[in-house]
Amino acid sequence: MHHRVTEADTARALGSGEVPVLATPRLIAWLEAATVRAAAPYTGPDETTVGTAVRVRHLRATGVGGRVEVTAGPPAGGSGRRLTFAVRAVDAAGRLVAEGEIERAVVDRRRFLEGDL
């Protein structure tokens, strides 16, 4: 998934800092979206996944107009209904912007929404 950093994606706009660079919360949201896509083959028709843990290191600033590609590898580790994804973000020059892991749990959509976990 490719993203271009806009003013709305900056730390200043999201309140997570005072500078006009890609905000860590926005970066994590992009990485989580990549894990949702990567998890799709591991869910049944009445299932979805929900995020349960995020361990991400944001290593490099990306200014407004910069491009970032986010990826989530196939699940590695985890047990049963837990899926753990290695995630990465790189800029247009191929430099590492972020890396880490995001864990998702497979849930029955209806039961989850009814609060019957």
Side-chain angles (χ1 to χ4, degrees):
M1 299 171 70
H2 290 87
H3 300 276
R4 184 166 302 277
V5 179
T6 68
E7 282 291 336
D9 302 316
T10 65
R12 183 171 36 208
L14 293 177
S16 66
E18 299 176 355
V19 290
V21 297
L22 176 59
T24 302
R26 178 73 79 222
L27 175 60
I28 290 171
W30 290 346
L31 291 165
E32 278 205 286
T35 66
V36 170
R37 287 178 124 181
Y42 303 93
T43 60
D46 297 325
E47 295 176 322
T48 191
T49 61
V50 295
T52 58
V54 175
R55 292 173 293 282
V56 171
R57 294 180 341 146
H58 192 169
L59 304 167
R60 177 180 295 281
T62 307
V64 172
R67 294 189 73 225
V68 176
E69 179 182 9
V70 297
T71 57
S79 59
R81 307 205 33 96
R82 298 233 180 247
L83 305 170
T84 302
F85 297 91
V87 294
R88 289 175 47 92
V90 296
D91 65 16
R95 297 175 297 201
L96 187 63
V97 172
E99 64 182 351
E101 291 181 335
I102 295 179
E103 184 178 284
R104 302 192 68 78
V106 177
V107 298
D108 178 278
R109 183 178 278 110
R110 182 189 54 77
R111 288 182 58 204
F112 182 81
L113 291 173
E114 290 173 356
D116 185 18
L117 307 175

